[in-house]
Amino acid sequence: MSTQTPNRQSTPPVRGSWEEMLAQARQLAIRDDERAGEKYELLISRLVKLPLERLVANDNRMQRMLEECMFTYQSFLARRNRLEDAIGLQADQLVFIFDTDAMAVWSERQAYMLGWLGRHDESLALMAKVQAETPWDVSLRWQLFEMYRKQGRTEEMAELIEDLEGLLAVLERHGIAPPDESVATETLQGLVRYLKMMMSIERGEWQAAYDLFVEAVTISEAYKENWHQLFRLLVLNRETKLASRALNREKSPASQGFWRGLNGFYQGDKEGSKAEWEQVTRIPIDDLLMRSAADWILSHYYLGDPKRIGLQLTLRLIENMRQNRDPLIIALAGLGWAVQGEYAHLRTNIEFAIGQLRGSFNGNKLPEFNWYFFRDLLPAEEFAKIEHYFEVPRGRAA
């Protein structure tokens, strides 16, 4: 796929050249400067007018530049919630700009934005088309399944699983591997179990969900280190005993301790949850796995963070981020200030976090499991002011 950013040049670009214009646009984009949009728009308007032979000359130099400008400018527009502009960007020229692989990525992004605008039928139809063209893509199939789930379309969810099972049955019958060499049969078999697990959760069949995840772990290495995909859902839905069993498989002490504490907290065991969270807060920062940082921070928050240690870590992590800013950490910084009774940063941080999510096409609201943390830790009147920024778990009051 030719949508990657070209290698940066070791020498400064020639003054007035295409490369200099692109370098200026990149720098402005890194600083999130509004002028970056103007630069990219100018570059695109000029590049699309170049003849094909000019675009493909010198190992597709100008073509790669055009694609970079298109994808980066689209992200720039999405981050600012200019979704109609992002969807319509060079709409009549796309067939001439992108090859098949790049067009698939572009269409996937379009599908997400259509969904964010509430145009769900269009969104799902486009995403289903992209997924059907790349049937072995694990991420795409999972994303389409999630889109169906959020719309409550259980029939389509089931059909997506049945389609994958049918494809795998053909491979097994002929004793062959998937055509896509980047994905193993075991990974796809694990995905079948994971998607069935999610179907069971939708039906409230918790034991079946647990058993299916165990099957996924047994079949595929892809799930062995991802027990959080199960125990988070069990804890948040008050399935205490099954959650405890799943938590036994979590290898990170910080993650296990935080979620054990939350599991007890939802059962009214205030002393037990406090003991779990205090144990997490004693884990040295240097011993933390990066994926457990949020759980370590949240343990401090649920204890009131009296010394602002959790807040300090979020601010330090944000300071160390460059281009790839973690939206969850940004949102947690706002929550950390709110835990201290300072609400001025809360909405600002959440809105910035959502901008980052949109720019990376990972959503236009904070994920639903975040809803619980903010609901637990904020006064009801403050939470009511920001609840619309979250994907609200189905069955909960919006």
Side-chain angles (χ1 to χ4, degrees):
M1 190 176 299
S2 55
T3 59
Q4 300 298 316
T5 301
N7 294 329
R8 303 294 189 262
Q9 298 186 3
S10 57
T11 56
V14 176
R15 187 174 179 82
S17 65
W18 292 99
E19 285 77 9
E20 185 191 43
M21 291 175 64
L22 182 55
Q24 291 171 352
R26 286 172 181 157
Q27 288 304 311
L28 290 168
I30 289 171
R31 298 197 297 270
D32 205 31
D33 191 312
E34 287 290 338
R35 292 173 294 175
E38 298 171 8
K39 290 282 186 183
Y40 279 114
E41 191 167 9
L42 179 61
L43 277 163
I44 291 168
S45 67
R46 293 180 178 180
L47 285 164
V48 294
K49 294 176 181 177
L50 294 179
L52 179 61
E53 58 269 21
R54 179 88 182 275
L55 288 169
V56 301
N58 298 317
D59 193 27
N60 292 300
R61 168 173 155 261
M62 306 301 283
Q63 175 64 26
R64 291 199 308 274
M65 189 179 297
L66 173 57
E67 290 185 5
E68 178 186 345
C69 290
M70 286 285 290
F71 280 100
T72 306
Y73 187 41
Q74 187 189 52
S75 295
F76 176 92
L77 293 170
R79 191 162 59 248
R80 284 155 176 76
N81 209 26
R82 294 171 55 187
L83 301 180
E84 296 287 2
D85 291 337
I87 290 171
L89 182 60
Q90 296 293 326
D92 58 342
Q93 295 293 318
L94 296 178
V95 67
F96 306 111
I97 293 174
F98 295 131
D99 62 16
T100 302
D101 289 341
M103 192 66 217
V105 176
W106 190 267
S107 296
E108 181 184 349
R109 289 178 164 200
Q110 302 285 69
Y112 295 140
M113 290 187 288
L114 287 167
W116 301 344
L117 288 169
R119 295 159 61 180
H120 297 297
D121 288 343
E122 294 175 73
S123 171
L124 290 169
L126 180 55
M127 191 67 169
K129 179 177 180 294
V130 175
Q131 190 277 318
E133 291 170 351
T134 51
W136 305 107
D137 190 308
V138 171
S139 176
L140 272 177
R141 191 175 289 268
W142 179 82
Q143 291 286 2
L144 178 57
F145 182 90
E146 273 294 284
M147 291 167 74
Y148 284 143
R149 185 186 69 81
K150 290 174 182 177
Q151 291 298 308
R153 305 198 183 197
T154 54
E155 288 186 14
E156 287 89 342
M157 291 162 64
E159 289 171 2
L160 200 63
I161 297 172
E162 291 169 5
D163 174 69
L164 181 55
E165 287 184 305
L167 292 173
L168 288 168
V170 171
L171 296 183
E172 185 177 357
R173 188 160 55 247
H174 294 282
I176 57 177
D180 185 343
E181 296 178 359
S182 67
V183 61
T185 302
E186 293 78 11
T187 303
L188 294 167
Q189 292 285 10
L191 178 64
V192 168
R193 272 64 177 186
Y194 177 79
L195 297 181
K196 285 185 174 182
M197 177 200 83
M198 293 301 298
M199 285 287 290
S200 294
I201 286 174
E202 289 296 300
R203 300 186 187 112
E205 299 169 353
W206 298 101
Q207 182 63 57
Y210 183 94
D211 294 341
L212 283 162
F213 193 83
V214 171
E215 285 185 33
V217 169
T218 304
I219 292 169
S220 172
E221 292 285 334
Y223 295 93
K224 287 188 176 180
E225 302 300 322
N226 291 303
W227 279 87
H228 65 276
Q229 294 178 331
L230 174 63
F231 68 66
R232 284 178 177 176
L233 293 169
L234 294 172
V235 169
L236 296 175
N237 286 279
R238 316 298 173 90
E239 294 296 323
T240 312
K241 293 181 180 179
L242 286 174
S244 293
R245 288 172 59 190
L247 278 161
N248 289 334
R249 310 294 289 271
E250 173 57 51
K251 294 183 178 179
S252 163
S255 292
Q256 186 178 110
F258 169 70
W259 286 92
R260 280 198 188 283
L262 197 63
N263 202 27
F265 177 76
Y266 288 148
Q267 298 306 311
D269 183 6
K270 293 184 179 180
E271 290 303 314
S273 60
K274 180 181 178 183
E276 291 283 0
W277 293 330
E278 285 178 341
Q279 190 170 340
V280 173
T281 63
R282 289 193 285 270
I283 298 173
I285 291 177
D286 292 342
D287 293 346
L288 280 179
L289 299 173
M290 186 59 200
R291 69 178 178 86
S292 300
D295 295 330
W296 190 88
I297 291 164
L298 283 164
S299 294
H300 284 274
Y301 287 2
Y302 273 82
L303 292 170
D305 203 18
K307 296 182 179 179
R308 300 191 174 190
I309 295 173
L311 175 58
Q312 287 172 17
L313 180 57
T314 63
L315 298 176
R316 192 185 317 167
L317 290 171
I318 292 170
E319 186 178 349
N320 291 335
M321 294 172 189
R322 294 294 181 259
Q323 289 175 263
N324 299 318
R325 297 166 176 168
D326 186 330
L328 176 56
I329 298 299
I330 293 166
L332 284 181
L335 179 59
W337 284 114
V339 167
Q340 303 300 321
E342 301 179 29
Y343 301 107
H345 299 293
L346 182 58
R347 185 185 297 268
T348 301
N349 276 53
I350 288 175
E351 289 180 346
F352 187 77
I354 290 172
Q356 295 298 114
L357 283 172
R358 280 196 296 256
S360 58
F361 296 90
N362 285 314
N364 73 325
K365 292 188 175 185
L366 289 172
E368 61 187 50
F369 77 91
N370 291 260
W371 179 90
Y372 294 87
F373 309 143
F374 285 75
R375 182 213 49 189
D376 291 347
L377 295 172
L378 292 174
E381 64 274 14
E382 294 297 333
F383 181 63
K385 296 175 184 177
I386 62 163
E387 188 173 9
H388 62 281
Y389 290 115
F390 296 82
E391 292 180 351
V392 178
R394 292 216 311 279
R396 305 283 178 175

